[in-house]
Amino acid sequence: METHEKGFFTEENSVEVVTGRNANAQDPRLKQVIEVITRKLHEAVKEIEPTQDEWFKAIMYLTRTGHLCNEWRQEFILLSDVLGVSMLVDAINNRKPSGASESTVLGPFHVADAPELPMGANICLDQKGEDMVIHGRILDIEGRPIANAVLDVWQANDEGFYDVQQKGIQPDFNLRGVFRTGEDGRYWFRAVKPKFYPIPDDGTVGKLLKGLGRHPYRPAHLHFILKADGFETLTTHIFDPHDPYINSDAVFGVKESLLAEFKRIDDATRAHELEFPGWFWEVEYDFVLTSSKKG
Ligand SMILES: [Fe+2]
C-alpha cells in the first residue's frame, strides 16, 4: 500500500480514503477543488442519509437537466442561478472599493454586436410600452467624468421579453444599444419602462422552484456593460425599487446600490422636447468605475 492509500472504504473514513487516492494529481488546483468538493459532498450525504431511491432521483434530475441543454438553453446555469451560486461567484470576483458601482449577473440575453447610437437615441424601435428617459454620468472613484466610456445597454420590453426571445415579433436590436461618452462623462437615451419576467420555468429548474414554493420572476431591470480604458469592465443592472418582485429576485441579482428611482413625469414641455406624446418615466443613475491599475 502506498503511503497515501488509506485502506478500505468505511462510512467513517470515506473522505480520507477518497481524497488520499488523488495524491499524485498533476494539477494542484484540480486536486484542491476535488478535495473540497469531496469533503462537502460526503458531509451532505452523511447529514441527509438519502435512500437509494432518493439518490437515484437526484441522478435522474441532473440527467434531465443535462438533456435540456442545447445551443440556446443552459439549464445548469439556471440551476446555479436559483441556488445563488452564480451571484456568489460574481461577488467573489468583483469585490469593489466602497463608492464604486456594484456588479451583478450578466444573464443570457446580451448580444455582442448591438449598434452604436448617438446620445439621446430611442432604443425602443416598436413604440410599445411606457416612454422612459434615462441619464446620468460615468465617473471614476474620485467623481471625475470618464470620457470615451462605452455603455452597452439591453432590456426586456413591457411584456417582459427580450428581442432575441421574440424574433419576428420585435425588431432586431429592439431595446439595446451602445453609447459612448464625451468629455463630460454624461450619457442619456430614451427607452420604455422594463417589466418583470420569469426565467425559463418549463424545465427541471422550474420544477425545483415549484417544489420549494418559489416563483420564477426577476424584478424589472436594465442590463449594462460599461467599459473604459484604464478601468475595470462593469457588468451590472439597475432595478425598479417598486417592482413587486424586488425583494425576491429568482436569481438573487438585486443589490441595494443598484436601485434607481423611476420618476413619473407629467410635464408637457419636457415631453415635447423628448418627442414623447405625454407623461413619461425618468431615471437618473451615475455609474462609478474602478481603476484597473492594481495595488
Ligand atoms: Fe434581464
Side-chain angles (χ1 to χ4, degrees), residues 109 154 162 197 218 221 223 237:
F109 300 119
W154 67 106
Y162 290 84
Y197 63 82
R218 298 212 62 211
H221 56 270
H223 290 261
H237 300 2

